[in-house]
Amino acid sequence: MSSIKGSEDYSDIKSSSLRDLLNGNILTKKFIQKQYGLLIMAAVLAFVYVGNRYYCETQMNKENKLKRELKDVKYESLTLSAELIQMSRRSHVLKLANEKGLGLVEATTPPIKLD
């Protein structure tokens, strides 16, 4: 019978027990030693994945916070704009002038335009 090249590596892994896995002896098996590069690459990719997810979540939290702040500023701007419009009305200006006792009276004749 012919055997497959490298099959002794697989039989070495099959004969491993849970005890070998727990005490670290599985890392001395030939099959695992041949795969060290792959295992290191998988570990690096796992770290990059976790780091990228953390960065993405922090960016999303910042974005949501900025959206809330923008909404608050818009509402404040609308409130201030409405107050300004209210204060600049003719009736309000006359009322304030009378309250302060400035002695101003409303002109009965329209202004004359000079050309």
Side-chain angles (χ1 to χ4, degrees):
M1 295 225 134
S2 66
S3 64
I4 300 173
K5 182 179 175 185
S7 64
E8 64 277 354
D9 294 341
Y10 294 118
S11 64
D12 198 23
I13 293 287
K14 287 181 182 178
S15 66
S16 298
S17 65
L18 181 61
R19 177 176 280 175
D20 288 338
L21 181 65
L22 293 176
N23 68 14
N25 285 340
I26 197 152
L27 297 175
T28 61
K29 308 289 183 181
K30 277 187 176 186
F31 177 76
I32 299 296
Q33 288 177 348
K34 287 181 180 179
Q35 304 301 325
Y36 277 153
L38 179 64
L39 293 173
I40 289 171
M41 184 182 74
V44 167
L45 287 176
F47 281 119
V48 168
Y49 176 77
V50 169
N52 187 37
R53 181 176 177 112
Y54 175 76
Y55 176 75
C56 182
E57 285 179 0
T58 55
Q59 291 299 100
M60 288 175 61
N61 287 338
K62 284 180 186 178
E63 180 183 356
N64 289 335
K65 181 181 175 186
L66 289 173
K67 282 181 181 178
R68 284 191 305 269
E69 286 181 16
L70 179 63
K71 187 185 287 186
D72 291 344
V73 169
K74 281 183 180 180
Y75 289 144
E76 185 178 348
S77 172
L78 284 172
T79 303
L80 291 175
S81 176
E83 288 176 5
L84 180 62
I85 289 172
Q86 177 66 26
M87 290 175 62
S88 64
R89 287 195 176 143
R90 183 172 164 240
S91 59
H92 192 268
V93 171
L94 287 173
K95 180 181 167 188
L96 283 176
N98 290 335
E99 285 178 3
K100 300 289 182 182
L102 297 177
L104 297 176
V105 291
E106 188 176 353
T108 56
T109 59
I112 301 171
K113 186 176 181 184
L114 300 175
D115 289 325

